[in-house]
């Protein structure tokens, strides 16, 4: 009777120890899931911000391309025949500028 009582006590202690370990494990899993969710939310916000920045930069690039295209139409340096000279001369630039 004494041995079975001791065995029963050991079983109870083992079950309690196992229960506490299981609680710890579940808590750790929950914390890990929470951390992953927070990281996910942060990355989503960063992604949204980067997409917004890409949109702004794309708009700026389009605008600057248009400005460049408009400028190329009127730029005297681009239409000057002296641009094809292989040896740059100081007077090449001034000869292309309007007087």
């Amino acid at each position: 009777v004494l041995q079975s009582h001791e065995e029963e006590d050991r079983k109870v202690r083992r079950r309690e120890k196992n229960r506490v370990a299981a609680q710890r494990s579940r808590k750790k899993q929950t914390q890990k899931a929470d951390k992953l969710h927070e990281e996910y939310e942060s990355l989503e916000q960063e992604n949204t911000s980067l997409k917004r920045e890409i949109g702004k930069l794309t708009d700026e690039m389009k605008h600057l391309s248009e400005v460049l295209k408009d400028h190329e139409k009127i730029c005297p340096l681009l239409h000057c025949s002296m641009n094809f000279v292989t040896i740059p001369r100081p007077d090449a630039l001034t000869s292309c500028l309007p007087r």
Side-chain angles (χ1 to χ4, degrees), residues 32-85:
K32 186 177 179 180
D34 290 346
K35 185 179 176 183
L36 283 173
H37 184 70
E38 287 174 14
E39 186 178 349
Y40 167 81
E41 291 293 328
S42 175
L43 289 172
E44 280 293 319
Q45 288 177 356
E46 184 181 0
N47 191 30
T48 300
S49 175
L50 289 171
K51 284 181 179 179
R52 206 175 302 123
E53 186 178 353
I54 287 170
K56 288 178 184 178
L57 291 171
T58 300
D59 290 345
E60 183 181 2
M61 184 180 72
K62 287 176 185 174
H63 171 72
L64 292 174
S65 293
E66 287 297 316
V67 169
L68 178 62
K69 192 164 64 172
D70 291 344
H71 176 74
E72 286 174 340
K73 292 175 187 174
I74 61 168
C75 181
L77 297 177
L78 291 174
H79 300 294
C80 179
S81 61
M82 298 301 285
N83 283 341
F84 299 109
V85 176

